[in-house]
């Protein structure tokens, strides 16, 4: 599967923008582009409610206008809740159609519900459901009560409202409460006890959560096993940091690896992938077997520098490597670990099962793990060995 196919919503949004550029006026498009850039720059609001909080409750409206309470919509089941802007939003249509095609089957196989919420009137909800042939529940939240409680409420700028009016859209006539307030496109995973377990907010409404990221979150926080850890005795002080990092970054694996002459050996492991990255497990280096694709960590050790691989399947050096083929981990970020003499003795790294990037905070956390591991090695040269 190529990256373009893998990130279905991003690909369709790019195609939509090309189409819009041919259909709409340049001035109107620039208004929306400016708004999107400003939203992107502002980032996720600090008011957004985090995992562990109770999911807000409110009286909602079904597509036929019948009142229904949110607790009845969730129905005591693990649920993925999608907040979208309305039937008038082409980015929403792309996301919802993609979720119907790619997300619904995966969630059904896991016994997880899917619900979409917007502030539009029931007429808009039924239009959304019918136009996109949606099988999942679509409801209206008049007044954006749930979005406001989650801290994801926003509104178009005045220039954007004027541009919308030029295109024939007045949010006051489509929103059930007669306002222009909108939720930031958001996906939340709620467990069977109505506790928020995961939330992904997109301030820039032209971007959305991809289906595979939602499935990964469901597997990690609802249906999957809790992240596990294991370590050599000398690395015990870092195991809590590693577990927290795996959970915070949402990656499959956080590792400390020891570099032996012919292999890379697991010295500490955290995250869901710990079931196959056990302490003492070794991967043979390509230097010892020239016909093999090099290991990620092997190249970090050889080069003495950080390595980032967004998707090994598309990488000339790492395509077909052992972690990708055997464990499905095609995304990698690793740093070298040195002893007090400056010799590289291993690595710290994170791995995931889909293409993704890491921000400066993630880099700092991985570097802090590296520094702590090097401190332990300085105090005890056998830290990386069982």
């Amino acid at each position: 599967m190529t990256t373009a196919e893998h990130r279905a919503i991003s690909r369709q949004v790019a195609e939509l923008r090309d189409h819009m550029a041919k259909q709409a006026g340049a001035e109107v498009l620039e208004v929306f582009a400016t708004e999107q850039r400003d939203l992107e720059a502002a980032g996720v609001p600090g008011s957004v409610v985090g995992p562990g909080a109770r999911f807000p409750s409110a009286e909602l409206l079904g597509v036929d206008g019948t009142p229904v309470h949110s607790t009845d919509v969730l129905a005591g089941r693990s649920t993925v809740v999608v907040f979208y802007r309305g039937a008038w939003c082409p980015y929403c249509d792309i996301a919802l159609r993609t979720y119907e095609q790619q997300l619904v089957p995966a969630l059904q196989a896991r016994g997880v519900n899917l619900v979409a919420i917007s502030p539009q009137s029931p007429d808009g909800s039924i239009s959304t459901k019918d136009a996109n042939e949606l099988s999942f529940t679509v409801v209206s939240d008049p007044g954006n009560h749930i979005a406001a409680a989650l801290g994801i409420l926003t509104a178009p700028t005045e220039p954007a409202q004027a541009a919308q009016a030029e295109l024939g859209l007045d949010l006051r006539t489509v929103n059930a409460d007669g306002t222009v307030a909108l939720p930031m496109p958001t996906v939340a995973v709620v467990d069977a006890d109505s506790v928020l377990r995961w939330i992904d907010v997109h301030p820039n409404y032209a971007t959305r959560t991809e289906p595979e990221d939602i499935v990964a979150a469901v597997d990690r926080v609802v249906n999957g096993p809790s992240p596990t850890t294991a370590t050599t005795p000398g690395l015990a002080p870092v195991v809590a940091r590693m577990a927290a990092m795996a959970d915070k970054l949402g990656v499959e694996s956080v590792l400390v690896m020891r570099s032996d002459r012919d292999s890379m050996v697991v010295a500490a492991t955290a995250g869901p992938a710990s079931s196959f990255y056990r302490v003492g497990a070794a991967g043979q280096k390509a230097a010892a077997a020239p016909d093999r694709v090099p290991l990620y960590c092997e190249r970090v050790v050889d080069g003495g520098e950080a390595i980032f691989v967004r998707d090994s399947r598309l990488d000339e050096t790492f395509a077909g490597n052992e972690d990708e083929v055997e464990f499905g981990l095609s995304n990698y970020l690793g740093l070298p670990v040195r002893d007090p003499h400056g010799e590289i003795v291993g690595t710290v790294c994170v791995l995931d099962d889909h293409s993704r990037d890491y921000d400066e905070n993630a880099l700092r956390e991985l570097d802090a793990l590296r520094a702590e591991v090097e401190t332990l090695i300085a105090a005890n040269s056998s830290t990386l060995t069982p």
Side-chain angles (χ1 to χ4, degrees), residues 21-287:
K22 299 174 183 177
Q23 300 295 321
E27 291 184 4
V28 170
L29 291 180
E30 181 55 32
V31 170
F32 294 134
T34 298
E35 182 184 41
Q36 291 165 18
R37 286 193 296 268
D38 290 345
L39 289 166
E40 190 83 47
V44 177
S47 59
V48 172
V49 173
R54 193 89 181 160
F55 191 74
S57 62
E59 287 291 339
L60 307 174
L61 296 176
V63 293
D64 60 356
T66 302
V68 57
H69 199 272
S70 58
T71 54
D72 295 323
V73 173
L74 298 179
R77 297 174 56 192
S78 295
T79 302
V80 170
V81 183
V82 176
F83 293 87
Y84 72 105
R85 305 198 303 161
W88 51 271
C89 173
Y91 303 107
C92 298
D93 287 340
I94 286 174
L96 295 174
R97 283 197 303 269
T98 303
Y99 293 158
E100 175 65 33
Q101 297 162 5
Q102 298 186 15
L103 183 59
V104 168
L107 294 183
Q108 288 177 339
R110 291 161 170 78
V112 176
N113 197 21
L114 179 61
V115 173
I117 300 177
S118 80
Q120 65 189 341
S121 67
D123 286 345
S125 295
I126 197 168
S127 296
T128 296
K129 190 174 180 71
D130 291 347
N132 296 295
E133 300 181 338
L134 307 180
S135 63
F136 52 87
T137 301
V138 179
V139 292
S140 299
D141 178 11
N144 280 298
H145 299 295
I146 296 180
L150 288 175
I152 60 172
L153 200 59
T154 185
T157 62
E158 289 188 6
Q161 292 180 50
Q164 288 172 344
E166 188 173 333
L167 296 175
L169 171 67
D170 182 355
L171 287 178
R172 294 175 180 84
T173 66
V174 298
N175 278 358
D177 64 353
T179 72
V180 298
L182 295 170
M184 292 182 176
T186 298
V187 174
V189 176
V190 184
D191 68 17
D193 296 318
S194 295
V195 175
L196 179 65
R197 300 294 304 278
W198 184 80
I199 187 168
D200 186 40
V201 183
H202 286 244
N204 178 359
Y205 53 83
T207 67
R208 303 298 163 106
T209 312
E210 296 285 350
E212 63 269 24
D213 295 334
I214 300 171
V215 173
V218 168
D219 286 343
R220 186 169 62 251
V221 303
V222 175
N223 286 347
S226 299
T228 57
T229 59
T231 178
T232 62
L235 287 174
V238 302
V239 73
R241 177 192 288 273
M242 293 174 64
M245 186 183 304
D247 186 57
K248 181 176 181 180
L249 298 182
V251 294
E252 289 294 307
S253 182
V254 177
L255 297 172
V256 179
M257 301 291 292
R258 183 180 79 247
S259 177
D260 288 350
R261 187 183 69 173
D262 296 331
S263 61
M264 297 298 305
V265 183
V266 177
T269 176
S274 294
S275 58
F276 41 80
Y277 284 127
R278 301 181 183 277
V279 172
Q284 189 177 18
K285 291 181 177 179

